[in-house]
Amino acid sequence: MKEKSLHEDTVVVHTGYDAKSHHGSLTVPLYQTSTFSFETAEQGESRFAGDEAGLIYSRLGNPTVQLLEERMTALEKGKGALAFGSGMAAVSSILVHLTKTGDHILCSRGIYGCTFGLLGMLEEKYNITHDLIQMGTEEEIERAIKPETVCIYVETPINPTMELVDLQAVVNVAKRHGLRVVVDNTFSSPYLQKPITLGVDFVLHSATKYINGHGDVIAGLLIGNDKDEMEEIRVSVQKDYGGIISPFDAWLLLRGIKTLPIRMERHTSNAEKIIAFLKQQPLVEKIYYPFDVDNPQYSIAKKQMRAGGGLISFTMKGGKKGAQKLLNSLSLIKIAVSLGDAETLIQHPATMTHSVVPHDERISMGITDSLLRLSVGLEHADDLIADLNQALKKVEQSLRKENAN
Ligand SMILES: *Cc1c(COP(=O)(O)O)cnc(C)c1O
């Protein structure tokens, strides 16, 4: 069968693997090796010269890692991929590749905290500047472009308010001005959103999250729409900066990816049930979810995402105290940052993931003291709802007690 015609659910299980070249091993072997021996001195010479294809040293290529890269290329519908030791290694590598001193990066106004930190460092040390803007319309994006702008860096949905950026609008502007577009697709996973099919140049992931899905690996991935350019990044940036993934972590990711489609379906259906429950709760004020029919950006969500995924943010009555009381009253749902795991996780952005953002800036981003972010896991929805229900009752009691005093 032609691999091109296979469905995504099949691609994540089979693409790129030929058991015949591995003693018939059903699953991909773990090549836990640092280096590869040459048969002769001349073979070593021609591999180093690039005259003969073949493996040299695991920082330059490893069969387990290569299969992961091939599968991710197919999943994101790109032309090439690179695996990294963390999501941040993928972020820093693509920015190093795309920019030089004096350049400018245009960013969506909500970006991952460490990406924000990296942009600050690039500015201070190398005079690579950036602006964070709301990308509501093409005009808004266009107005922010400077002569030095070389790329647009976007996260959508934005953490933790689930604000969306219209990727088609970004691509339209970028094409008009000859800019490259990078999308951090961590929150959606390739199952829900494929930015390269919309004309984006690079997609990156913290594979720590949905791609792996089991909360036991830190890893990153970068997928591009140009095979030669991806090879250039491999030999010019990754080889020398060295942020590679370990073969064992690549092997765990290959295992995780096999269930990505069915996990994303369950994350989404659980999230939908929890939203229906939260909407009935007098203590819950505002719910942020891309596919919520009340979301003013619902039409953008439907245009570029297959479904809403597993992340829900919501605000509640009782401010910071109420939010923390809810966290402390949960038992099945764990208090933790990160997302995309089998376990349902909840965190308080104002005091956790976004605690370094200055207060006024944080509020203007919609991250109030009562906002909570829930990463809905794979447990039975009824058990999660029961846990939320008993915890909300406890919050209600404590608020009532406070009002009585
Ligand atoms: C977690 C995360 C990152 C960073 O990834 P690491 O694997 O922790 O280095 C980048 N972007 C987003 C959106 C994330 O959630």
Side-chain angles (χ1 to χ4, degrees), residues 102-106 119 122-123 127-131 146 148:
D103 286 347
H104 174 255
I105 307 166
L106 196 57
L119 289 167
L122 291 176
E123 184 150 342
N127 189 30
I128 297 165
T129 58
H130 63 271
D131 280 303
K146 298 177 172 181
E148 316 83 76

Side-chain angles (χ1 to χ4, degrees), residues 94-331:
I94 188 59
L95 290 181
V96 163
H97 169 69
L98 290 175
T99 62
K100 60 178 186 343
T101 293
D103 286 347
H104 174 255
I105 307 166
L106 196 57
C107 302
S108 54
R109 72 171 177 163
I111 49 168
Y112 187 70
C114 300
T115 304
F116 186 74
L118 173 70
L119 289 167
M121 188 190 78
L122 291 176
E123 184 150 342
E124 206 180 299
K125 295 187 76 159
Y126 306 112
N127 189 30
I128 297 165
T129 58
H130 63 271
D131 280 303
L132 298 149
I133 63 152
Q134 190 166 7
M135 299 188 172
T137 61
E138 289 189 26
E139 293 70 40
E140 212 167 349
I141 305 167
E142 207 136 36
R143 266 202 308 273
I145 292 173
K146 298 177 172 181
E148 316 83 76
T149 307
V150 292
C151 70
I152 305 182
Y153 185 98
V154 173
E155 264 178 48
T156 179
I158 288 171
N159 179 26
T161 52
M162 303 299 144
E163 187 182 314
L164 301 174
V165 176
D166 184 336
L167 290 175
Q168 199 59 66
V170 171
V171 167
N172 289 346
V173 174
K175 291 241 150 80
R176 280 202 291 277
H177 294 265
L179 307 177
R180 315 301 297 283
V181 181
V182 182
V183 172
D184 181 335
N185 204 25
T186 302
F187 267 40
S188 297
S189 89
Y191 186 68
L192 300 182
Q193 178 170 279
K194 290 189 177 18
I196 288 176
T197 64
L198 301 171
V200 163
D201 302 284
F202 298 97
V203 169
L204 64 88
H205 288 278
S206 167
T208 312
K209 318 294 169 53
Y210 285 111
I211 301 284
N212 179 51
H214 292 73
D216 47 18
V217 171
I218 301 258
L221 290 155
L222 174 70
I223 302 96
N225 66 355
D226 182 325
K227 193 173 169 34
D228 293 340
E229 189 176 14
M230 291 309 288
E231 281 314 304
E232 189 190 317
I233 300 171
R234 186 192 300 282
V235 298
S236 70
V237 182
Q238 192 183 42
K239 174 172 77 64
D240 297 343
Y241 272 65
I244 55 152
I245 193 171
S246 85
F248 181 52
D249 286 349
W251 187 85
L252 284 171
L253 290 186
L254 281 163
R255 185 161 75 164
I257 287 173
K258 287 184 184 179
T259 54
L260 180 70
I262 55 177
R263 282 189 284 113
M264 294 316 291
E265 293 287 344
R266 172 65 88 89
H267 284 304
T268 301
S269 67
N270 273 357
E272 285 166 353
K273 287 174 191 158
I274 287 172
I275 287 167
F277 164 79
L278 290 175
K279 283 194 169 178
Q280 308 291 320
Q281 304 308 308
L283 277 185
V284 174
E285 286 174 336
K286 209 165 159 25
I287 295 171
Y288 301 90
Y289 187 70
F291 267 59
D292 184 359
V293 285
D294 299 330
N295 176 4
Q297 292 187 305
Y298 184 41
S299 63
I300 300 176
K302 270 195 304 187
K303 209 166 62 168
Q304 62 196 30
M305 295 173 76
R306 188 201 305 239
L311 288 159
I312 307 168
S313 290
F314 61 95
T315 57
M316 50 182 293
K317 290 189 182 132
K320 177 179 169 184
K321 247 189 171 158
Q324 289 190 325
K325 176 75 187 166
L326 182 79
L327 259 57
N328 291 332
S329 306
L330 291 162
S331 73

Side-chain angles (χ1 to χ4, degrees), residues 34-55:
S34 55
T35 197
F36 300 86
S37 58
F38 309 125
E39 280 169 30
T40 60
E42 289 75 13
Q43 186 182 52
E45 181 182 12
S46 56
R47 284 205 186 161
F48 267 90
D51 298 335
E52 180 193 302
L55 296 154

